[in-house]
């Protein structure tokens, strides 16, 4: 089953998912009071405190997913080596990963949009994201990413960004095998699952899903709602388990 998702939509979902997951990782590791975790004051304060950490974390998390949208997996390592041999800095490497100036510019716009919201103490809602992300210019040729690959890359971004956010204060990647969707997932499963629901929503749908009854609903049913098909749901859970195993080795 191979379907396609517009490349701008995938790239925007990856960038938004990074900022969402990384910031929640930072907040989860530093704010004990549940009611204070997402107040504008807490979000703004912690993002300002970790201002200088965000760009390196973004590069570490996003280089491979961005490159994987534009190059074959087997070519990415050589691409990185060649860029490093040229002495490319972090942003030049990201520009190379984007594969095209238009996609790079769109990525920068999404970066600024998400970061500026967090610095103002706010989160970009799914609805606002879907309404405002950078789209293809009229003169551009259509380009897309296989849906399986898009799902896998988005899962990777969410999980790596979340753990890197937790590690900003030495929290590390602690894991709890009692929280199941597939097989095993990180501690604070509720936060991770909420992040993943939002990520699949903006990746696979064109309209924000109402999660108002999320706590009372069956989690698998919620994921099927945003994943749309059993196939997509399986791709997501398999990649969550695979990424979990990779994180455990770090």
């Amino acid at each position: 089953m191979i379907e396609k998702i517009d490349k701008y939509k995938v790239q925007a979902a990856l960038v938004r998912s990074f900022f969402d997951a990384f910031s929640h990782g930072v907040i989860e590791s530093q704010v004990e009071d549940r009611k204070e975790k997402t107040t504008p004051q807490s979000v703004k304060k912690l993002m300002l405190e970790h201002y200088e950490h965000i760009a390196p974390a973004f590069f570490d998390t996003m280089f491979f997913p961005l490159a994987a949208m534009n190059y074959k997996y087997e070519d990415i390592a050589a691409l990185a080596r060649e860029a490093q041999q040229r002495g490319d800095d972090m942003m030049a490497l990201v520009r190379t990963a984007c594969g095209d100036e238009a996609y790079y510019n769109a990525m920068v716009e999404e970066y600024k949009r998400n970061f500026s919201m967090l610095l103002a103490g706010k989160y970009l809602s799914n609805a606002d994201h879907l309404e405002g992300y950078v789209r293809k210019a009229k003169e551009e040729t259509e380009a897309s990413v296989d849906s399986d690959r898009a799902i896998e890359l988005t899962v990777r971004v969410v999980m790596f960004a979340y753990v890197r956010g937790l590690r900003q204060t030495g929290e590390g990647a602690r894991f709890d095998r009692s929280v199941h969707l597939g097989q095993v997932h990180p501690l604070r499963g509720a936060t991770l699952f909420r992040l993943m629901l939002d990520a699949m929503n903006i990746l696979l749908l064109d309209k924000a899903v109402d999660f108002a009854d999320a706590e009372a609903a069956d989690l698998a049913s919620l994921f099927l709602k945003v994943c749309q098909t059993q196939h997509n749901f399986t791709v997501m859970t398999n990649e969550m388990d695979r990424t979990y195993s990779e994180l455990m080795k770090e």
Side-chain angles (χ1 to χ4, degrees), residues 1 7 16 27 33 37 60 66 150-151 158 173 191 211 225 235 240 248:
M1 178 179 180
K7 190 180 286 188
R16 190 292 183 91
I27 291 167
D33 188 337
K37 286 185 184 296
D60 289 343
L66 290 172
I151 292 168
V158 170
T191 299
F211 295 131
K225 186 174 184 180
V235 172
M240 289 178 76
M248 286 292 288

Side-chain angles (χ1 to χ4, degrees), residues 5-12 15 58 62 66-67 69-71 91 94-111 133-137 139-145:
I5 304 175
D6 175 74
K7 190 180 286 188
Y8 279 102
K9 183 177 176 68
V10 177
Q11 181 172 264
V15 175
F58 182 86
M62 295 291 290
L66 290 172
M69 291 200 302
N70 301 294
Y71 304 93
M91 291 313 295
V94 171
R95 186 187 297 268
T96 299
C98 289
D100 179 279
E101 194 69 15
Y103 290 115
Y104 174 75
N105 291 336
M107 183 279 297
V108 171
E109 287 303 310
E110 293 301 319
Y111 185 106
Y133 74 84
V134 179
R135 288 160 166 82
K136 177 183 76 68
E139 66 274 12
E140 287 185 76
T141 303
E142 293 282 352
S144 58
V145 181

Side-chain angles (χ1 to χ4, degrees), residues 75-136:
D75 296 334
I76 294 175
L79 182 78
R81 285 196 301 270
E82 290 170 4
Q84 290 171 341
Q85 288 169 0
R86 292 194 300 269
D88 289 356
D89 63 14
M90 186 167 59
M91 291 313 295
L93 282 164
V94 171
R95 186 187 297 268
T96 299
C98 289
D100 179 279
E101 194 69 15
Y103 290 115
Y104 174 75
N105 291 336
M107 183 279 297
V108 171
E109 287 303 310
E110 293 301 319
Y111 185 106
K112 291 178 179 177
R113 184 165 73 122
N114 283 273
F115 199 3
S116 63
M117 287 289 288
L118 290 173
L119 290 177
K122 303 174 183 178
Y123 280 96
L124 193 64
S125 70
N126 289 356
D128 287 342
H129 170 85
L130 288 168
E131 181 180 352
Y133 74 84
V134 179
R135 288 160 166 82
K136 177 183 76 68

